[in-house]
Amino acid sequence: MRERERKQKGDTMAIKRERKVSQHKEHTMASPLSSSSPAKISNLSLYICSFHLISFILLAFGTYTDTFEIQYGWNTYFGKFKYLTYWNIWIQTLYFVISLLYDLMKWRSVSKCDQNKVRQLQIVIDHVHATIVFPVGIFVVITFWLIYHFDRELVFPSFLDEIIPGWLNHILHTLPLVLLFLDKYLVPHCYPPKLRGIGYTFCYTSIYVVWILFLAFAKGIWVYPILQILNNQQRFVFIILLWLFGISIYLVGDGFSCFMWRASPQPTKTRKNKVK
């Protein structure tokens, strides 16, 4: 009798657990716009969606202002596309708008096909965040303010204060760091295996290095004055140090995500197992 009672209790607890899991899934995946499911959205999901929306608005406004309102920089070869800051503000803006679309898709996904698309988009977002968005965004902020502190004329000459307003300068060179760490705090991003992720980051950053060296030696345009005052050996060492710094930012991002979410360093494999 006791064994039977224990078995019944165990079965009852298992059923309750299954109900809670299914309720949790409905709670997180239900669409506020779908008539076939109740409009139940967790507070955390609303906070994350609101954060992505506000981040996108701020970055989009800064991108629009820097592109269309500030004409300085467009009258030279390839205009502002020479500058990593301009690349970065577009990267950050696109990342946050895609994250916002992912939030909305997650709420609306009902069928298994929709959920698979959401999972695939999540994998892409995690990969892009880990290897491009976070390393480039943090790199731009830290290197700008570090060089600015020692000699601002090398990165942001004083005459630009009359052309570029202070608030826009902070959107370009301060806001990405704040938004990226908040995003890591709110969203558990899955990083690829370390060597693969570092390789991707190295390849992506190499594209920009090749670009500025092409401009320098083929067109005679030095994008940053600090590179112009160095000789070839010093430039080589400087670029290698910047590469190492970018890789260290990738590792910091990986470690921060693991610390915040107590995840394994290579969670991509776990996700694949769960999908199967």
Side-chain angles (χ1 to χ4, degrees):
M1 290 294 291
R2 288 182 179 177
E3 289 181 3
R4 242 184 228 177
E5 289 177 358
R6 285 177 185 172
K7 193 174 181 182
Q8 287 177 354
K9 285 182 181 178
D11 293 340
T12 304
M13 293 296 292
I15 292 171
K16 286 182 178 179
R17 271 193 231 106
E18 289 179 2
R19 284 178 181 173
K20 285 183 179 179
V21 170
S22 62
Q23 286 174 0
H24 176 71
K25 286 181 179 178
E26 289 178 0
H27 184 67
T28 54
M29 300 296 293
S31 167
L33 303 176
S34 174
S35 58
S36 61
S37 59
K40 294 180 180 178
I41 304 170
S42 66
N43 289 333
L44 180 59
S45 297
L46 285 174
Y47 293 151
I48 293 173
C49 186
S50 301
F51 165 70
H52 286 152
L53 175 61
I54 294 171
S55 301
F56 166 66
I57 291 173
L58 291 173
L59 291 168
F61 181 69
T63 303
Y64 174 84
T65 304
D66 189 42
T67 302
F68 298 104
E69 300 295 332
I70 307 298
Q71 295 301 315
Y72 176 81
W74 284 118
N75 57 348
T76 57
Y77 186 77
F78 262 90
K80 295 184 181 181
F81 288 101
K82 299 188 299 293
Y83 305 109
L84 186 59
T85 296
Y86 194 70
W87 285 34
N88 179 56
I89 195 65
W90 274 101
I91 289 171
Q92 303 300 324
T93 304
L94 292 174
Y95 167 74
F96 279 101
V97 71
I98 292 173
S99 297
L100 178 62
L101 292 175
Y102 165 75
D103 295 335
L104 299 176
M105 285 177 63
K106 184 171 63 175
W107 292 350
R108 289 187 61 88
S109 63
V110 178
S111 65
K112 287 185 178 180
C113 181
D114 291 338
Q115 292 178 13
N116 288 333
K117 289 180 181 178
V118 169
R119 289 192 192 98
Q120 290 172 2
L121 180 58
Q122 183 181 10
I123 293 172
V124 171
I125 289 174
D126 288 348
H127 173 87
V128 172
H129 170 91
T131 58
I132 302 177
V133 177
F134 186 83
V136 173
I138 303 301
F139 179 88
V140 167
V141 173
I142 293 179
T143 53
F144 175 83
W145 289 112
L146 193 62
I147 298 174
Y148 185 96
H149 175 72
F150 289 102
D151 188 356
R152 65 168 296 177
E153 300 300 322
L154 295 176
V155 290
F156 197 81
S158 53
F159 71 86
L160 289 178
D161 290 338
E162 299 179 1
I163 301 173
I164 301 176
W167 62 266
L168 179 59
N169 186 26
H170 282 294
I171 287 180
L172 298 174
H173 297 116
T174 305
L175 186 63
L177 183 143
V178 178
L179 297 181
L180 287 172
F181 273 103
L182 284 174
D183 185 64
K184 275 191 174 295
Y185 178 77
L186 293 171
V187 181
H189 291 287
C190 293
Y191 270 62
K194 273 191 174 62
L195 290 178
R196 188 187 302 172
I198 290 172
Y200 288 146
T201 301
F202 179 80
C203 291
Y204 296 144
T205 53
S206 298
I207 294 173
Y208 184 74
V209 172
V210 171
W211 170 238
I212 61 174
L213 291 179
F214 166 77
L215 292 175
F217 292 106
K219 302 297 180 179
I221 300 173
W222 290 98
V223 178
Y224 302 102
I226 189 172
L227 292 174
Q228 189 173 7
I229 65 176
L230 300 176
N231 58 41
N232 288 333
Q233 291 77 16
Q234 292 171 334
R235 289 189 196 108
F236 177 77
V237 174
F238 183 72
I239 290 173
I240 293 297
L241 291 176
L242 292 180
W243 255 321
L244 293 175
F245 181 53
I247 291 172
S248 68
I249 293 174
Y250 171 87
L251 295 175
V252 168
D254 189 9
F256 186 81
S257 291
C258 292
F259 172 77
M260 286 301 304
W261 298 97
R262 301 297 189 271
S264 63
Q266 298 177 0
T268 306
K269 295 180 181 179
T270 305
R271 175 177 287 174
K272 287 181 180 178
N273 294 332
K274 287 182 179 179
V275 172
K276 290 179 182 178

